[in-house]
Amino acid sequence: MTDNKRPTPDELRNTQDATFTTGEGKAPELGVKNASTEGSTYRPDWVPEEAKKDDTYACHVMKGVKEMHDGLLSSSAHLAPAVRPVQRRKKLTVADYVRGIEQGDRVILSRAITLVESNNKDHFKLAQQVLQAVLPRTGKALRIGITGVPGAGKSTFIEAFGNMLIEAGYKVAVLAVDPTSQVTKGSILGDKTRMETLTKHPEAYIRPSPAGGTLGGVARKSRETMLLCEAAGYDIILVETVGVGQSEVTVRSMVDFFMLIVLTGAGDELQGIKKGVMELADAIVVNKADGDNLKRALIARSDYDRMLHYIRPATEKWKTQAYTCSAVTKDGLDELWDVIQEFTEQGKENGVFLKRRQEQSLRWVRDMIDEHLHNLFFNNVVIQGRMGEVEAAVLDGEMSESQAVEELIGVFDKSRFR
């Protein structure tokens, strides 16, 4: 090597490896051992420019190890390979999904729900094949929708209520629809953290799902998720929804029994949504009726009962009433379950239960048509190319909103019949 040229890695390995030391006086020449360091100090060919001035630079070296690093021997049997191969999950067929769902395999059920929630076209086709195959096993579970103002204790109530149902011998699935940010398009999906005991129970299945900005937080994907849970053998499906008032009409269209959770002293806050949510509810539940709040809860229950006299019942031949409960003390949960069972038995006897299910199925068909046409329109290449110009014309005042719609629909029709 020439002076001031850095050695190559191979040249360093051939000499020896490593730890730099400095000593007083002149360092030994290259290849000459220094007795004071037991023959391990050498003068290298290359040294930093500043070290040339006082000639005190030296290094202590150790032989390197081939094929490994950090001084570990390649022959060590207990060491894992330096690079582990990526283990890919097995790609499941329709038969694999169906078999797993029917056997109650929660891992495969989760993968099937992920398939349903996916926006991938191939995943959509596979998901529909799975749903069609498990359809004969659906429709036997009781579907209960639960909504309420933020802070009403919906998640705490669901955990207490779900544990009670499991103790009674039922299998419970919870579909917790989480609000989706209109800015970031993300959801926290943290509902399971507030249902610690229910999450750990083998007879419970909790699935948080993003609302995705759909009305009420529930759309086709949530409905199909519910069908998969029914096919997996869950007896009761609890749907916790985004509590935002008028949009909860969507929840009413997918459940048998609809429950509104309210708080004491919340009359003023609920004033704006009474006409919307209260006329959809089969039961109004005043939560947190315990301790010092019990008396206020009983008063609130009476107030809601009086309000309900002026509202048309949500379900034909059923009288909606208010109830009190405490998710902490468990008081009132048994009474509420008795009410739901009475509602179900009465509805099946008078035919209202079956009629509602049939109406829901037809509504689902129409909603899916709306979704399909929406995607067909906005994914059209010609529309995507023309949309920017039309929108700019509306913003500049050159075209009215109605004219913009006619323009785009006309462009869409022409593109379809070319």
Side-chain angles (χ1 to χ4, degrees):
M1 290 183 287
T2 59
D3 199 16
N4 295 329
K5 180 181 179 182
R6 292 181 179 273
T8 65
D10 289 338
E11 290 168 338
L12 281 176
R13 277 196 296 270
N14 290 337
T15 54
Q16 301 172 23
D17 201 24
T19 307
F20 293 101
T21 64
T22 58
E24 296 181 0
K26 185 177 180 180
E29 296 296 330
L30 180 63
V32 180
K33 295 179 181 180
N34 185 339
S36 64
T37 56
E38 299 181 348
S40 58
T41 302
Y42 293 81
R43 172 70 174 179
D45 281 351
W46 179 89
V47 296
E49 290 290 338
E50 59 272 15
K52 291 182 178 181
K53 298 177 182 178
D54 55 14
D55 211 20
T56 59
Y57 186 84
C59 68
H60 172 74
V61 294
M62 178 186 298
K63 289 185 177 180
V65 181
K66 293 182 179 180
E67 299 177 359
M68 291 294 285
H69 58 81
D70 296 335
L72 301 179
L73 297 178
S74 59
S75 61
S76 299
H78 67 283
L79 295 176
V83 179
R84 293 177 181 272
V86 176
Q87 296 294 329
R88 292 184 177 272
R89 288 196 302 179
K90 176 187 175 183
K91 187 175 181 179
L92 301 179
T93 63
V94 173
D96 293 330
Y97 278 113
V98 174
R99 189 184 312 110
I101 292 171
E102 292 179 347
Q103 292 175 353
D105 188 321
R106 300 206 296 183
V107 174
I108 292 183
L109 172 61
S110 297
R111 293 184 63 177
I113 293 174
T114 301
L115 201 67
V116 163
E117 293 177 342
S118 173
N119 292 322
N120 185 295
K121 292 182 179 180
D122 293 335
H123 291 173
F124 174 81
K125 293 179 181 178
L126 182 58
Q128 296 309 307
Q129 292 174 357
V130 173
L131 284 166
Q132 187 63 36
V134 302
L135 201 58
R137 295 175 59 89
T138 65
K140 299 175 183 178
L142 178 62
R143 306 163 182 173
I144 302 174
I146 300 173
T147 190
V149 295
K154 296 186 294 295
S155 297
T156 307
F157 170 83
I158 288 174
E159 179 173 45
F161 192 59
N163 283 324
M164 184 197 71
L165 293 174
I166 290 173
E167 291 173 3
Y170 297 100
K171 291 185 67 177
V172 179
V174 179
L175 307 183
V177 182
D178 215 33
T180 296
S181 169
Q182 296 301 308
V183 178
T184 65
K185 307 304 179 183
S187 298
I188 297 176
L189 303 179
D191 299 83
K192 292 179 73 171
T193 63
R194 291 176 288 184
M195 305 179 193
E196 292 184 13
T197 58
L198 191 61
T199 301
K200 298 173 184 176
H201 207 291
E203 297 301 311
Y205 178 78
I206 303 177
R207 176 75 181 202
S209 299
T214 59
L215 187 61
V218 182
R220 172 187 58 81
K221 296 175 182 179
S222 296
R223 292 169 179 152
E224 294 179 350
T225 296
M226 184 173 63
L227 295 179
L228 291 174
C229 290
E230 290 182 347
Y234 290 94
D235 308 302
I236 300 173
I237 313 295
L238 303 178
V239 184
E240 180 191 4
T241 67
V242 184
V244 291
Q246 293 284 355
S247 62
E248 298 310 292
V249 65
T250 311
V251 184
R252 173 78 273 181
S253 70
M254 66 177 290
V255 297
D256 306 311
F257 189 89
F258 186 64
M259 190 186 310
L260 173 63
I261 309 292
V262 298
L263 291 169
T264 58
D268 290 339
E269 287 103 353
L270 284 174
Q271 194 69 34
I273 65 171
K274 282 175 190 172
K275 190 62 178 175
V277 178
M278 286 181 64
E279 67 182 2
L280 300 175
D282 296 309
I284 295 178
V285 182
V286 183
N287 195 17
K288 303 183 181 181
D290 49 53
D292 297 336
N293 201 46
L294 178 58
K295 184 177 180 179
R296 290 191 293 271
L298 293 174
I299 295 174
R301 173 179 175 173
S302 299
D303 291 340
Y304 280 110
D305 275 332
R306 283 196 298 271
M307 294 177 198
L308 289 168
H309 282 297
Y310 302 98
I311 297 176
R312 182 180 177 180
T315 301
E316 184 182 354
K317 301 178 182 180
W318 174 258
K319 183 180 179 181
T320 301
Q321 290 182 285
Y323 306 89
T324 58
C325 79
S326 170
V328 177
T329 64
K330 313 297 187 296
D331 292 332
L333 296 181
D334 288 335
E335 179 191 3
L336 192 56
W337 176 234
D338 290 339
V339 170
I340 295 174
Q341 288 181 304
E342 180 185 352
F343 170 89
T344 305
E345 292 171 5
Q346 179 179 310
K348 288 182 177 179
E349 288 176 1
N350 58 31
V352 173
F353 190 91
L354 178 60
K355 181 182 177 181
R356 171 168 283 168
R357 284 281 181 100
Q358 291 173 339
E359 290 174 349
Q360 287 176 349
S361 295
L362 294 179
R363 176 159 183 166
W364 292 4
V365 171
R366 296 189 186 102
D367 287 347
M368 289 178 66
I369 291 174
D370 289 343
E371 181 185 7
H372 178 73
L373 292 176
H374 177 277
N375 293 334
L376 198 65
F377 181 85
F378 285 99
N379 291 334
N380 184 283
V381 177
V382 178
I383 290 296
Q384 290 176 345
R386 181 73 175 125
M387 181 67 75
E389 298 177 16
V390 173
E391 289 179 342
V394 171
L395 295 177
D396 293 339
E398 299 173 359
M399 184 182 294
S400 71
E401 290 81 356
S402 298
Q403 288 176 317
V405 172
E406 290 184 8
E407 170 73 15
L408 290 173
I409 294 296
V411 170
F412 179 74
D413 288 339
K414 291 179 181 178
S415 69
R416 296 291 294 170
F417 295 105
R418 283 179 179 177

